[in-house]
Amino acid sequence: MTRVVADISISLDGFVTGPNAGPDNGLGDGGEALHTWAFSGDDEDRRILREGTARSGAVILGRRLFDVVDGPKGWSEQVGYGATEVGKPAFVVMTSSPPESVRLTNLDWTFVTTGVSDAVAVARQKAPSGRDVVLMGGGASIHSALEAGLVDVLFVHLSPVVLGAGTPLFTGGATRTLVQRSVTVTSTATHLVYDIV
């Protein structure tokens, strides 16, 4: 069965971007430190990134994150989801209005205007059998999917940085019980995996 996996890097104080995040400053001030693990030479960091990419059948992101990755300072052949891996998943963007054009035309983009439940349904259809639907963010998208009870597994890459402000992942809402499945400590992050029950 296809799992819905929320996968996100977070600071010790609970932020998924630094302050002043926007299209030209995607991770906000100081937010690049959240993803140090994804570019490290640590063997365990590389394994976690490689395995996560290999499991991805379809990836969901919100419109603000899409505007960052598709913007002029966004993804390229060298930087982006699965950029150094073989194959690329389908991408599903939650938005109130699709963009007029897309810069990254070599990727499979689908724009869903009817909410997170429909975005997950579309992503499930696009994901090959046995592969995960991955919610990569932003924080509001993952939060809304958690609130809707649509997430099966939460992957948190806890970065050793305190940002002080930015985009929080958790902003209240329903209580969720998590079952810890694994903890991997590397030189750049603590990688935590939880089942959501």
Side-chain angles (χ1 to χ4, degrees):
M1 182 176 157
T2 302
R3 302 181 306 171
V4 177
V5 175
D7 190 320
I8 196 156
S9 297
I10 191 167
S11 67
L12 287 172
D13 52 347
F15 296 104
V16 298
T17 73
N20 303 311
D24 292 330
N25 189 22
L27 293 171
D29 298 343
E32 295 82 14
L34 295 171
H35 295 275
T36 299
W37 72 271
F39 299 98
S40 87
D42 185 290
D43 289 342
E44 282 298 290
D45 286 332
R46 304 301 323 143
R47 178 188 62 79
I48 289 166
L49 186 63
R50 185 176 56 252
E51 289 176 359
T53 301
R55 285 191 312 270
S56 301
V59 176
I60 300 172
L61 59 156
R63 176 59 188 266
R64 281 181 279 178
L65 182 54
F66 167 79
D67 287 343
V68 171
V69 302
D70 196 54
K73 296 180 180 179
W75 289 352
S76 66
E77 290 298 319
Q78 294 75 37
V79 176
Y81 199 95
T84 59
E85 305 294 328
V86 175
K88 302 228 186 309
F91 292 93
V92 177
V93 180
M94 295 182 289
T95 182
S96 59
S97 61
E100 292 180 14
S101 64
V102 174
R103 179 180 65 86
L104 298 169
T105 57
N106 61 326
L107 298 176
D108 176 6
W109 296 105
T110 301
F111 298 90
V112 175
T113 60
T114 51
V116 66
S117 295
D118 288 343
V120 168
V122 168
R124 282 185 185 277
Q125 291 173 346
K126 289 186 157 288
S129 179
R131 306 280 284 289
D132 293 339
V133 167
V134 177
L135 281 145
M136 70 172 279
S141 298
I142 289 178
H143 180 78
S144 63
L146 286 166
E147 284 298 299
L150 298 170
V151 179
D152 301 308
V153 181
L154 176 62
F155 281 68
V156 174
H157 310 284
L158 185 61
S159 299
V161 62
V162 174
L163 295 173
T167 305
L169 178 57
F170 302 108
T171 57
T175 300
R176 295 278 180 234
T177 301
L178 308 177
V179 177
Q180 187 170 291
R181 292 298 177 207
S182 70
V183 177
T184 305
V185 179
T186 69
S187 60
T188 60
T190 302
H191 304 279
L192 305 160
V193 181
Y194 299 97
D195 287 340
I196 299 176
V197 294

